[in-house]
Amino acid sequence: MKLVHVCTCAVLYRKHALNCHRMKPALFNVLCEIKEKTVLSIRGAQEEEPPDPQLMRLDNMLLAEGVSGPEKGGGSAAAAAAAAASGGAGPDNSAEHSDYRAKLTQIRQIYHTELEKYEQACNEFTTHVMNLLREQSRTRPISPKEIERMVNIIHRKFSSIQMQLKQSTCEAVMILRSRFLDARRKRRNFNKQATEILNEYFYSHLSNPYPSEEAKEELAKKCAITVAQVSNWFGNKRIRYKKNIGKFQEEANMYAARTAVNAANASSHGSQANSPSTPNSAGSAGSFNMSNSGDLFMSVQSLNGDSYQGAQVGANVQSQVDTLRHVISQTGGYSEGLTANQMYSPQGINANGWQDAPTPSSVTSPTEGPGSVHSDTSN
DNA sequence: GGCAATGATTTGAG
DNA sequence: CTCAAATCATTGCC
């Protein structure tokens, strides 16, 4: 007991003596220099840390996903991208959309709190170490440069932790994203309105149901779906209609009647001939005939052909067609006894112009004319 | 669960 | 690339 006490006293005394020695500053500097040299030789020139490419990648990704980067508006970056991928966020997927955004915000929050925590811990630890070193520098040769180096080491350690945080955040975002995308890959039936818009277009262009790129875009906008979905829909519709015309008879009649009413309204409203809604009606009439008895088909076929080739249908022709269509739809008899198989006749459809139409899209667009069907149907 | 409807994907042709 | 056709996969109704 006593011995220990004596020893400690001795050490303390010697430390004190050393510290108070008049040569101490000089000696200290010399020792520091020596240490500096050895440390430098050992540790090479690792001082300047080059920007880690992986870290940069992670940073970029986080920024792109809206996790890091500017507050509030940030989430919209990925959201907008996702929306763009889906071809415009419709009211349909807004639920999923907000769900995605909420989850992203959650990730973002966690990321930022964690980041803050790490930064705080890093600062605290750095100060602690610096204090410690400064204190020790009274008894050990520790230069400010060395302290700085130590701080750098600490920072590097913490930044590697940060990188892990960023990495796991990225993973979380990726998982969320893939799940979100998977969710939208799942088939969802279009809402009634969208289906009606598409059907209206289809049946009013039955003679040539190939919407142009512009028409597709407009339909997509109106239906809150993507252009690709519009293309899919028309692809499916064409094939399914052709395969089983009988089955679609009722539907066709319904939409034709509706278009007819619309056209009638339009023409009664404005007595001017150039009602934009009209060109389509010609098409519908043609298709109808095709699916109906031969006589009618023939008679309207020619009519259809005329109007179609003329591209611009006058009010007279239009109203004629409309009337015809009315008659046809009221005749009603054709649907009976016409089974799907009997109906199906690729040649007939060919004759109708589906296949013959050179570059369907280019053909369709002139039919559209100024103020296409869409604008009509929407109003 | 069976089934039809329907949106999406794949395949192959032009 | 677009399209037809076949097929897959999900939805929604019974």
Side-chain angles (χ1 to χ4, degrees), chain A residues 186-187 189 210 216 236 238-240 242-243 344:
Chain A
K186 275 187 183 172
R187 191 173 73 72
N189 287 356
Y210 297 87
K216 278 183 194 170
N236 283 325
R238 279 190 300 263
I239 200 83
R240 282 162 188 166
K242 200 167 82 173
K243 252 187 179 173
Y344 179 41

mmCIF file of all heavy atoms in Angstrom, chain A residues 186-187 189 210 216 236 238-240 242-243 344, chain C residues 1-12:
data_model
loop_
_atom_site.group_PDB
_atom_site.id
_atom_site.type_symbol
_atom_site.label_atom_id
_atom_site.label_comp_id
_atom_site.label_asym_id
_atom_site.label_seq_id
_atom_site.Cartn_x
_atom_site.Cartn_y
_atom_site.Cartn_z
ATOM 1 N N LYS A 186 -49.378 -6.021 -62.009
ATOM 2 C CA LYS A 186 -50.576 -6.830 -61.838
ATOM 3 C C LYS A 186 -51.717 -6.213 -62.622
ATOM 4 O O LYS A 186 -51.891 -5.018 -62.647
ATOM 5 C CB LYS A 186 -50.944 -6.904 -60.356
ATOM 6 C CG LYS A 186 -50.207 -7.994 -59.630
ATOM 7 C CD LYS A 186 -50.744 -8.114 -58.224
ATOM 8 C CE LYS A 186 -49.981 -9.162 -57.441
ATOM 9 N NZ LYS A 186 -50.375 -9.131 -56.026
ATOM 10 N N ARG A 187 -52.464 -7.071 -63.216
ATOM 11 C CA ARG A 187 -53.532 -6.574 -64.056
ATOM 12 C C ARG A 187 -54.637 -5.945 -63.233
ATOM 13 O O ARG A 187 -55.034 -6.456 -62.193
ATOM 14 C CB ARG A 187 -54.117 -7.726 -64.864
ATOM 15 C CG ARG A 187 -55.035 -7.293 -65.950
ATOM 16 C CD ARG A 187 -55.424 -8.477 -66.780
ATOM 17 N NE ARG A 187 -56.346 -9.372 -66.098
ATOM 18 C CZ ARG A 187 -57.610 -9.074 -65.882
ATOM 19 N NH1 ARG A 187 -58.087 -7.914 -66.236
ATOM 20 N NH2 ARG A 187 -58.401 -9.936 -65.287
ATOM 21 N N ASN A 189 -58.409 -4.152 -64.026
ATOM 22 C CA ASN A 189 -59.372 -3.791 -65.060
ATOM 23 C C ASN A 189 -59.472 -2.275 -65.130
ATOM 24 O O ASN A 189 -59.430 -1.597 -64.106
ATOM 25 C CB ASN A 189 -60.723 -4.389 -64.726
ATOM 26 C CG ASN A 189 -60.748 -5.887 -64.938
ATOM 27 O OD1 ASN A 189 -59.769 -6.458 -65.411
ATOM 28 N ND2 ASN A 189 -61.827 -6.516 -64.577
ATOM 29 N N TYR A 210 -57.721 1.363 -86.035
ATOM 30 C CA TYR A 210 -56.281 1.525 -85.756
ATOM 31 C C TYR A 210 -56.013 2.983 -85.415
ATOM 32 O O TYR A 210 -55.698 3.775 -86.303
ATOM 33 C CB TYR A 210 -55.451 1.101 -86.968
ATOM 34 C CG TYR A 210 -55.610 -0.343 -87.324
ATOM 35 C CD1 TYR A 210 -56.634 -0.754 -88.170
ATOM 36 C CD2 TYR A 210 -54.748 -1.297 -86.803
ATOM 37 C CE1 TYR A 210 -56.802 -2.075 -88.503
ATOM 38 C CE2 TYR A 210 -54.905 -2.629 -87.145
ATOM 39 C CZ TYR A 210 -55.932 -3.010 -87.986
ATOM 40 O OH TYR A 210 -56.079 -4.323 -88.304
ATOM 41 N N LYS A 216 -54.048 7.642 -80.057
ATOM 42 C CA LYS A 216 -53.727 6.792 -78.908
ATOM 43 C C LYS A 216 -53.372 7.639 -77.702
ATOM 44 O O LYS A 216 -53.793 7.369 -76.573
ATOM 45 C CB LYS A 216 -52.557 5.871 -79.249
ATOM 46 C CG LYS A 216 -52.956 4.627 -80.020
ATOM 47 C CD LYS A 216 -51.733 3.764 -80.239
ATOM 48 C CE LYS A 216 -51.986 2.693 -81.282
ATOM 49 N NZ LYS A 216 -50.758 2.005 -81.670
ATOM 50 N N ASN A 236 -56.124 -6.358 -78.371
ATOM 51 C CA ASN A 236 -57.009 -7.389 -77.827
ATOM 52 C C ASN A 236 -58.402 -7.260 -78.417
ATOM 53 O O ASN A 236 -59.026 -8.259 -78.786
ATOM 54 C CB ASN A 236 -57.091 -7.251 -76.300
ATOM 55 C CG ASN A 236 -55.854 -7.794 -75.616
ATOM 56 O OD1 ASN A 236 -55.272 -8.774 -76.057
ATOM 57 N ND2 ASN A 236 -55.438 -7.148 -74.538
ATOM 58 N N ARG A 238 -59.478 -5.882 -81.207
ATOM 59 C CA ARG A 238 -59.574 -6.255 -82.619
ATOM 60 C C ARG A 238 -59.644 -7.765 -82.764
ATOM 61 O O ARG A 238 -60.519 -8.305 -83.438
ATOM 62 C CB ARG A 238 -58.361 -5.712 -83.383
ATOM 63 C CG ARG A 238 -58.474 -4.259 -83.766
ATOM 64 C CD ARG A 238 -57.374 -3.886 -84.719
ATOM 65 N NE ARG A 238 -56.045 -4.081 -84.169
ATOM 66 C CZ ARG A 238 -55.302 -3.113 -83.615
ATOM 67 N NH1 ARG A 238 -55.773 -1.882 -83.544
ATOM 68 N NH2 ARG A 238 -54.109 -3.368 -83.152
ATOM 69 N N ILE A 239 -58.710 -8.407 -82.105
ATOM 70 C CA ILE A 239 -58.625 -9.855 -82.274
ATOM 71 C C ILE A 239 -59.858 -10.530 -81.710
ATOM 72 O O ILE A 239 -60.404 -11.469 -82.284
ATOM 73 C CB ILE A 239 -57.322 -10.403 -81.643
ATOM 74 C CG1 ILE A 239 -56.996 -11.746 -82.225
ATOM 75 C CG2 ILE A 239 -57.411 -10.494 -80.151
ATOM 76 C CD1 ILE A 239 -56.269 -11.604 -83.534
ATOM 77 N N ARG A 240 -60.324 -10.036 -80.585
ATOM 78 C CA ARG A 240 -61.457 -10.692 -79.942
ATOM 79 C C ARG A 240 -62.760 -10.382 -80.665
ATOM 80 O O ARG A 240 -63.656 -11.224 -80.727
ATOM 81 C CB ARG A 240 -61.521 -10.292 -78.470
ATOM 82 C CG ARG A 240 -60.497 -11.081 -77.682
ATOM 83 C CD ARG A 240 -60.139 -10.525 -76.338
ATOM 84 N NE ARG A 240 -59.006 -11.291 -75.795
ATOM 85 C CZ ARG A 240 -58.289 -10.907 -74.767
ATOM 86 N NH1 ARG A 240 -58.546 -9.767 -74.156
ATOM 87 N NH2 ARG A 240 -57.294 -11.650 -74.354
ATOM 88 N N LYS A 242 -62.962 -9.778 -83.863
ATOM 89 C CA LYS A 242 -62.910 -10.510 -85.119
ATOM 90 C C LYS A 242 -63.228 -11.987 -84.894
ATOM 91 O O LYS A 242 -63.917 -12.624 -85.676
ATOM 92 C CB LYS A 242 -61.513 -10.358 -85.725
ATOM 93 C CG LYS A 242 -61.470 -10.653 -87.192
ATOM 94 C CD LYS A 242 -60.174 -10.194 -87.804
ATOM 95 C CE LYS A 242 -59.087 -11.218 -87.564
ATOM 96 N NZ LYS A 242 -57.851 -10.833 -88.306
ATOM 97 N N LYS A 243 -62.715 -12.487 -83.788
ATOM 98 C CA LYS A 243 -62.881 -13.902 -83.495
ATOM 99 C C LYS A 243 -64.333 -14.258 -83.213
ATOM 100 O O LYS A 243 -64.749 -15.379 -83.445
ATOM 101 C CB LYS A 243 -62.042 -14.265 -82.268
ATOM 102 C CG LYS A 243 -60.830 -15.101 -82.579
ATOM 103 C CD LYS A 243 -60.188 -15.522 -81.282
ATOM 104 C CE LYS A 243 -58.987 -16.388 -81.515
ATOM 105 N NZ LYS A 243 -58.287 -16.647 -80.246
ATOM 106 N N TYR A 344 -67.470 -15.347 -88.298
ATOM 107 C CA TYR A 344 -66.042 -15.094 -88.458
ATOM 108 C C TYR A 344 -65.605 -15.333 -89.891
ATOM 109 O O TYR A 344 -65.699 -16.418 -90.426
ATOM 110 C CB TYR A 344 -65.248 -15.992 -87.517
ATOM 111 C CG TYR A 344 -63.777 -15.784 -87.654
ATOM 112 C CD1 TYR A 344 -63.281 -14.472 -87.809
ATOM 113 C CD2 TYR A 344 -62.891 -16.832 -87.624
ATOM 114 C CE1 TYR A 344 -61.934 -14.254 -87.922
ATOM 115 C CE2 TYR A 344 -61.543 -16.609 -87.743
ATOM 116 C CZ TYR A 344 -61.063 -15.334 -87.898
ATOM 117 O OH TYR A 344 -59.725 -15.096 -88.015
ATOM 118 P P DC C 1 -39.160 -1.074 -80.603
ATOM 119 O OP1 DC C 1 -38.209 -0.164 -80.076
ATOM 120 O OP2 DC C 1 -39.640 -2.255 -79.970
ATOM 121 O "O5'" DC C 1 -40.414 -0.292 -81.199
ATOM 122 C "C5'" DC C 1 -40.234 0.895 -81.946
ATOM 123 C "C4'" DC C 1 -40.998 0.815 -83.236
ATOM 124 O "O4'" DC C 1 -40.274 -0.029 -84.155
ATOM 125 C "C3'" DC C 1 -42.361 0.170 -83.117
ATOM 126 O "O3'" DC C 1 -43.318 1.163 -82.781
ATOM 127 C "C2'" DC C 1 -42.597 -0.359 -84.517
ATOM 128 C "C1'" DC C 1 -41.216 -0.659 -85.027
ATOM 129 N N1 DC C 1 -40.861 -2.105 -85.075
ATOM 130 C C2 DC C 1 -41.369 -2.879 -86.107
ATOM 131 O O2 DC C 1 -42.112 -2.334 -86.940
ATOM 132 N N3 DC C 1 -41.057 -4.186 -86.179
ATOM 133 C C4 DC C 1 -40.272 -4.730 -85.262
ATOM 134 N N4 DC C 1 -39.992 -6.019 -85.377
ATOM 135 C C5 DC C 1 -39.728 -3.961 -84.179
ATOM 136 C C6 DC C 1 -40.049 -2.667 -84.130
ATOM 137 P P DT C 2 -44.616 0.731 -81.995
ATOM 138 O OP1 DT C 2 -45.274 1.966 -81.548
ATOM 139 O OP2 DT C 2 -44.311 -0.351 -81.036
ATOM 140 O "O5'" DT C 2 -45.509 0.097 -83.151
ATOM 141 C "C5'" DT C 2 -45.801 0.869 -84.325
ATOM 142 C "C4'" DT C 2 -46.638 0.019 -85.250
ATOM 143 O "O4'" DT C 2 -45.850 -1.118 -85.674
ATOM 144 C "C3'" DT C 2 -47.887 -0.530 -84.553
ATOM 145 O "O3'" DT C 2 -49.009 -0.405 -85.414
ATOM 146 C "C2'" DT C 2 -47.536 -1.985 -84.288
ATOM 147 C "C1'" DT C 2 -46.550 -2.317 -85.387
ATOM 148 N N1 DT C 2 -45.545 -3.338 -85.001
ATOM 149 C C2 DT C 2 -45.401 -4.465 -85.796
ATOM 150 O O2 DT C 2 -46.065 -4.658 -86.804
ATOM 151 N N3 DT C 2 -44.455 -5.361 -85.353
ATOM 152 C C4 DT C 2 -43.657 -5.245 -84.238
ATOM 153 O O4 DT C 2 -42.848 -6.119 -83.948
ATOM 154 C C5 DT C 2 -43.851 -4.041 -83.457
ATOM 155 C C7 DT C 2 -43.035 -3.833 -82.213
ATOM 156 C C6 DT C 2 -44.769 -3.164 -83.865
ATOM 157 P P DC C 3 -50.438 -0.637 -84.806
ATOM 158 O OP1 DC C 3 -51.365 0.197 -85.584
ATOM 159 O OP2 DC C 3 -50.367 -0.511 -83.337
ATOM 160 O "O5'" DC C 3 -50.722 -2.172 -85.135
ATOM 161 C "C5'" DC C 3 -50.948 -2.547 -86.487
ATOM 162 C "C4'" DC C 3 -50.819 -4.032 -86.636
ATOM 163 O "O4'" DC C 3 -49.509 -4.433 -86.199
ATOM 164 C "C3'" DC C 3 -51.784 -4.841 -85.778
ATOM 165 O "O3'" DC C 3 -52.882 -5.257 -86.573
ATOM 166 C "C2'" DC C 3 -50.961 -6.043 -85.331
ATOM 167 C "C1'" DC C 3 -49.568 -5.797 -85.863
ATOM 168 N N1 DC C 3 -48.506 -6.066 -84.872
ATOM 169 C C2 DC C 3 -47.717 -7.208 -84.984
ATOM 170 O O2 DC C 3 -47.918 -7.984 -85.935
ATOM 171 N N3 DC C 3 -46.769 -7.450 -84.063
ATOM 172 C C4 DC C 3 -46.587 -6.591 -83.059
ATOM 173 N N4 DC C 3 -45.625 -6.865 -82.176
ATOM 174 C C5 DC C 3 -47.374 -5.415 -82.926
ATOM 175 C C6 DC C 3 -48.324 -5.188 -83.846
ATOM 176 P P DA C 4 -54.056 -6.054 -85.948
ATOM 177 O OP1 DA C 4 -55.256 -5.852 -86.791
ATOM 178 O OP2 DA C 4 -54.099 -5.738 -84.499
ATOM 179 O "O5'" DA C 4 -53.591 -7.563 -86.088
ATOM 180 C "C5'" DA C 4 -53.300 -8.079 -87.382
ATOM 181 C "C4'" DA C 4 -53.021 -9.573 -87.303
ATOM 182 O "O4'" DA C 4 -51.819 -9.793 -86.528
ATOM 183 C "C3'" DA C 4 -54.108 -10.397 -86.620
ATOM 184 O "O3'" DA C 4 -54.217 -11.640 -87.307
ATOM 185 C "C2'" DA C 4 -53.596 -10.563 -85.196
ATOM 186 C "C1'" DA C 4 -52.095 -10.565 -85.375
ATOM 187 N N9 DA C 4 -51.318 -9.943 -84.297
ATOM 188 C C8 DA C 4 -51.550 -8.751 -83.681
ATOM 189 N N7 DA C 4 -50.660 -8.431 -82.758
ATOM 190 C C5 DA C 4 -49.782 -9.499 -82.785
ATOM 191 C C6 DA C 4 -48.614 -9.777 -82.048
ATOM 192 N N6 DA C 4 -48.109 -8.962 -81.110
ATOM 193 N N1 DA C 4 -47.971 -10.927 -82.323
ATOM 194 C C2 DA C 4 -48.460 -11.727 -83.259
ATOM 195 N N3 DA C 4 -49.544 -11.581 -84.023
ATOM 196 C C4 DA C 4 -50.162 -10.437 -83.728
ATOM 197 P P DA C 5 -55.394 -12.630 -86.966
ATOM 198 O OP1 DA C 5 -55.674 -13.443 -88.158
ATOM 199 O OP2 DA C 5 -56.472 -11.855 -86.323
ATOM 200 O "O5'" DA C 5 -54.733 -13.572 -85.873
ATOM 201 C "C5'" DA C 5 -53.586 -14.329 -86.233
ATOM 202 C "C4'" DA C 5 -53.021 -15.005 -85.009
ATOM 203 O "O4'" DA C 5 -52.359 -14.019 -84.201
ATOM 204 C "C3'" DA C 5 -54.065 -15.682 -84.105
ATOM 205 O "O3'" DA C 5 -53.854 -17.081 -84.157
ATOM 206 C "C2'" DA C 5 -53.808 -15.091 -82.715
ATOM 207 C "C1'" DA C 5 -52.456 -14.433 -82.855
ATOM 208 N N9 DA C 5 -52.219 -13.240 -82.051
ATOM 209 C C8 DA C 5 -53.008 -12.130 -81.970
ATOM 210 N N7 DA C 5 -52.539 -11.201 -81.165
ATOM 211 C C5 DA C 5 -51.350 -11.747 -80.693
ATOM 212 C C6 DA C 5 -50.365 -11.270 -79.800
ATOM 213 N N6 DA C 5 -50.437 -10.084 -79.202
ATOM 214 N N1 DA C 5 -49.311 -12.060 -79.546
ATOM 215 C C2 DA C 5 -49.252 -13.257 -80.148
ATOM 216 N N3 DA C 5 -50.104 -13.823 -81.006
ATOM 217 C C4 DA C 5 -51.146 -13.006 -81.241
ATOM 218 P P DA C 6 -54.735 -18.058 -83.249
ATOM 219 O OP1 DA C 6 -54.863 -19.328 -83.986
ATOM 220 O OP2 DA C 6 -55.933 -17.341 -82.763
ATOM 221 O "O5'" DA C 6 -53.763 -18.296 -82.007
ATOM 222 C "C5'" DA C 6 -52.398 -18.590 -82.264
ATOM 223 C "C4'" DA C 6 -51.637 -18.684 -80.957
ATOM 224 O "O4'" DA C 6 -51.409 -17.358 -80.445
ATOM 225 C "C3'" DA C 6 -52.361 -19.459 -79.861
ATOM 226 O "O3'" DA C 6 -51.455 -20.385 -79.287
ATOM 227 C "C2'" DA C 6 -52.788 -18.385 -78.872
ATOM 228 C "C1'" DA C 6 -51.735 -17.326 -79.071
ATOM 229 N N9 DA C 6 -52.167 -15.960 -78.764
ATOM 230 C C8 DA C 6 -53.304 -15.336 -79.181
ATOM 231 N N7 DA C 6 -53.433 -14.112 -78.759
ATOM 232 C C5 DA C 6 -52.291 -13.908 -77.992
ATOM 233 C C6 DA C 6 -51.825 -12.795 -77.268
ATOM 234 N N6 DA C 6 -52.477 -11.633 -77.174
ATOM 235 N N1 DA C 6 -50.643 -12.914 -76.627
ATOM 236 C C2 DA C 6 -49.984 -14.082 -76.714
ATOM 237 N N3 DA C 6 -50.326 -15.195 -77.368
ATOM 238 C C4 DA C 6 -51.498 -15.032 -77.994
ATOM 239 P P DT C 7 -51.960 -21.411 -78.171
ATOM 240 O OP1 DT C 7 -51.145 -22.635 -78.282
ATOM 241 O OP2 DT C 7 -53.440 -21.458 -78.176
ATOM 242 O "O5'" DT C 7 -51.505 -20.652 -76.848
ATOM 243 C "C5'" DT C 7 -50.178 -20.168 -76.745
ATOM 244 C "C4'" DT C 7 -50.060 -19.310 -75.518
ATOM 245 O "O4'" DT C 7 -50.709 -18.043 -75.730
ATOM 246 C "C3'" DT C 7 -50.706 -19.900 -74.271
ATOM 247 O "O3'" DT C 7 -49.683 -20.256 -73.367
ATOM 248 C "C2'" DT C 7 -51.595 -18.789 -73.736
ATOM 249 C "C1'" DT C 7 -51.095 -17.571 -74.477
ATOM 250 N N1 DT C 7 -52.084 -16.479 -74.692
ATOM 251 C C2 DT C 7 -51.820 -15.239 -74.164
ATOM 252 O O2 DT C 7 -50.815 -14.998 -73.525
ATOM 253 N N3 DT C 7 -52.775 -14.292 -74.415
ATOM 254 C C4 DT C 7 -53.941 -14.462 -75.136
ATOM 255 O O4 DT C 7 -54.715 -13.532 -75.290
ATOM 256 C C5 DT C 7 -54.163 -15.777 -75.654
ATOM 257 C C7 DT C 7 -55.392 -16.062 -76.438
ATOM 258 C C6 DT C 7 -53.236 -16.718 -75.413
ATOM 259 P P DC C 8 -50.062 -20.897 -71.964
ATOM 260 O OP1 DC C 8 -49.023 -21.895 -71.643
ATOM 261 O OP2 DC C 8 -51.492 -21.257 -71.929
ATOM 262 O "O5'" DC C 8 -49.855 -19.636 -71.004
ATOM 263 C "C5'" DC C 8 -48.689 -18.842 -71.160
ATOM 264 C "C4'" DC C 8 -48.739 -17.655 -70.210
ATOM 265 O "O4'" DC C 8 -49.672 -16.679 -70.705
ATOM 266 C "C3'" DC C 8 -49.189 -18.029 -68.797
ATOM 267 O "O3'" DC C 8 -48.310 -17.396 -67.880
ATOM 268 C "C2'" DC C 8 -50.596 -17.474 -68.704
ATOM 269 C "C1'" DC C 8 -50.545 -16.291 -69.663
ATOM 270 N N1 DC C 8 -51.830 -15.918 -70.298
ATOM 271 C C2 DC C 8 -52.287 -14.595 -70.213
ATOM 272 O O2 DC C 8 -51.622 -13.766 -69.579
ATOM 273 N N3 DC C 8 -53.458 -14.264 -70.816
ATOM 274 C C4 DC C 8 -54.140 -15.186 -71.491
ATOM 275 N N4 DC C 8 -55.276 -14.804 -72.074
ATOM 276 C C5 DC C 8 -53.689 -16.531 -71.597
ATOM 277 C C6 DC C 8 -52.540 -16.856 -70.995
ATOM 278 P P DA C 9 -48.462 -17.703 -66.353
ATOM 279 O OP1 DA C 9 -47.134 -17.493 -65.751
ATOM 280 O OP2 DA C 9 -49.189 -18.982 -66.181
ATOM 281 O "O5'" DA C 9 -49.413 -16.538 -65.849
ATOM 282 C "C5'" DA C 9 -49.016 -15.193 -66.089
ATOM 283 C "C4'" DA C 9 -49.988 -14.278 -65.376
ATOM 284 O "O4'" DA C 9 -51.168 -14.116 -66.186
ATOM 285 C "C3'" DA C 9 -50.458 -14.803 -64.015
ATOM 286 O "O3'" DA C 9 -50.424 -13.716 -63.121
ATOM 287 C "C2'" DA C 9 -51.863 -15.314 -64.277
ATOM 288 C "C1'" DA C 9 -52.326 -14.409 -65.412
ATOM 289 N N9 DA C 9 -53.281 -14.983 -66.346
ATOM 290 C C8 DA C 9 -53.353 -16.262 -66.809
ATOM 291 N N7 DA C 9 -54.323 -16.466 -67.665
ATOM 292 C C5 DA C 9 -54.927 -15.233 -67.781
ATOM 293 C C6 DA C 9 -56.015 -14.780 -68.529
ATOM 294 N N6 DA C 9 -56.728 -15.548 -69.337
ATOM 295 N N1 DA C 9 -56.358 -13.485 -68.407
ATOM 296 C C2 DA C 9 -55.651 -12.698 -67.586
ATOM 297 N N3 DA C 9 -54.610 -13.003 -66.824
ATOM 298 C C4 DA C 9 -54.295 -14.301 -66.975
ATOM 299 P P DT C 10 -50.838 -13.910 -61.627
ATOM 300 O OP1 DT C 10 -49.770 -13.268 -60.869
ATOM 301 O OP2 DT C 10 -51.244 -15.309 -61.376
ATOM 302 O "O5'" DT C 10 -52.137 -12.989 -61.504
ATOM 303 C "C5'" DT C 10 -52.029 -11.631 -61.914
ATOM 304 C "C4'" DT C 10 -53.412 -11.070 -62.100
ATOM 305 O "O4'" DT C 10 -54.111 -11.806 -63.110
ATOM 306 C "C3'" DT C 10 -54.286 -11.103 -60.843
ATOM 307 O "O3'" DT C 10 -54.624 -9.763 -60.553
ATOM 308 C "C2'" DT C 10 -55.480 -11.966 -61.245
ATOM 309 C "C1'" DT C 10 -55.466 -11.865 -62.764
ATOM 310 N N1 DT C 10 -56.023 -13.012 -63.505
ATOM 311 C C2 DT C 10 -57.052 -12.787 -64.386
ATOM 312 O O2 DT C 10 -57.532 -11.687 -64.564
ATOM 313 N N3 DT C 10 -57.499 -13.904 -65.046
ATOM 314 C C4 DT C 10 -57.028 -15.190 -64.913
ATOM 315 O O4 DT C 10 -57.516 -16.103 -65.563
ATOM 316 C C5 DT C 10 -55.940 -15.359 -63.984
ATOM 317 C C7 DT C 10 -55.365 -16.712 -63.767
ATOM 318 C C6 DT C 10 -55.505 -14.279 -63.340
ATOM 319 P P DT C 11 -55.510 -9.425 -59.303
ATOM 320 O OP1 DT C 11 -55.088 -8.103 -58.835
ATOM 321 O OP2 DT C 11 -55.529 -10.597 -58.412
ATOM 322 O "O5'" DT C 11 -56.958 -9.279 -59.947
ATOM 323 C "C5'" DT C 11 -57.109 -8.434 -61.074
ATOM 324 C "C4'" DT C 11 -58.554 -8.460 -61.530
ATOM 325 O "O4'" DT C 11 -58.830 -9.689 -62.221
ATOM 326 C "C3'" DT C 11 -59.578 -8.353 -60.398
ATOM 327 O "O3'" DT C 11 -60.511 -7.352 -60.747
ATOM 328 C "C2'" DT C 11 -60.201 -9.745 -60.336
ATOM 329 C "C1'" DT C 11 -60.038 -10.226 -61.764
ATOM 330 N N1 DT C 11 -59.921 -11.696 -61.972
ATOM 331 C C2 DT C 11 -60.715 -12.303 -62.919
ATOM 332 O O2 DT C 11 -61.536 -11.686 -63.579
ATOM 333 N N3 DT C 11 -60.516 -13.646 -63.069
ATOM 334 C C4 DT C 11 -59.628 -14.434 -62.381
ATOM 335 O O4 DT C 11 -59.544 -15.636 -62.609
ATOM 336 C C5 DT C 11 -58.819 -13.753 -61.407
ATOM 337 C C7 DT C 11 -57.828 -14.524 -60.606
ATOM 338 C C6 DT C 11 -59.008 -12.429 -61.249
ATOM 339 P P DG C 12 -61.476 -6.749 -59.701
ATOM 340 O OP1 DG C 12 -61.661 -5.322 -60.029
ATOM 341 O OP2 DG C 12 -61.052 -7.196 -58.367
ATOM 342 O "O5'" DG C 12 -62.833 -7.507 -60.050
ATOM 343 C "C5'" DG C 12 -63.320 -7.475 -61.372
ATOM 344 C "C4'" DG C 12 -64.496 -8.429 -61.503
ATOM 345 O "O4'" DG C 12 -63.999 -9.774 -61.646
ATOM 346 C "C3'" DG C 12 -65.428 -8.439 -60.289
ATOM 347 O "O3'" DG C 12 -66.761 -8.568 -60.759
ATOM 348 C "C2'" DG C 12 -64.991 -9.684 -59.536
ATOM 349 C "C1'" DG C 12 -64.685 -10.600 -60.716
ATOM 350 N N9 DG C 12 -63.818 -11.740 -60.430
ATOM 351 C C8 DG C 12 -62.789 -11.815 -59.511
ATOM 352 N N7 DG C 12 -62.196 -12.987 -59.487
ATOM 353 C C5 DG C 12 -62.881 -13.717 -60.463
ATOM 354 C C6 DG C 12 -62.702 -15.047 -60.896
ATOM 355 O O6 DG C 12 -61.875 -15.873 -60.503
ATOM 356 N N1 DG C 12 -63.608 -15.390 -61.890
ATOM 357 C C2 DG C 12 -64.570 -14.551 -62.406
ATOM 358 N N2 DG C 12 -65.355 -15.048 -63.365
ATOM 359 N N3 DG C 12 -64.747 -13.304 -62.010
ATOM 360 C C4 DG C 12 -63.873 -12.962 -61.038
#
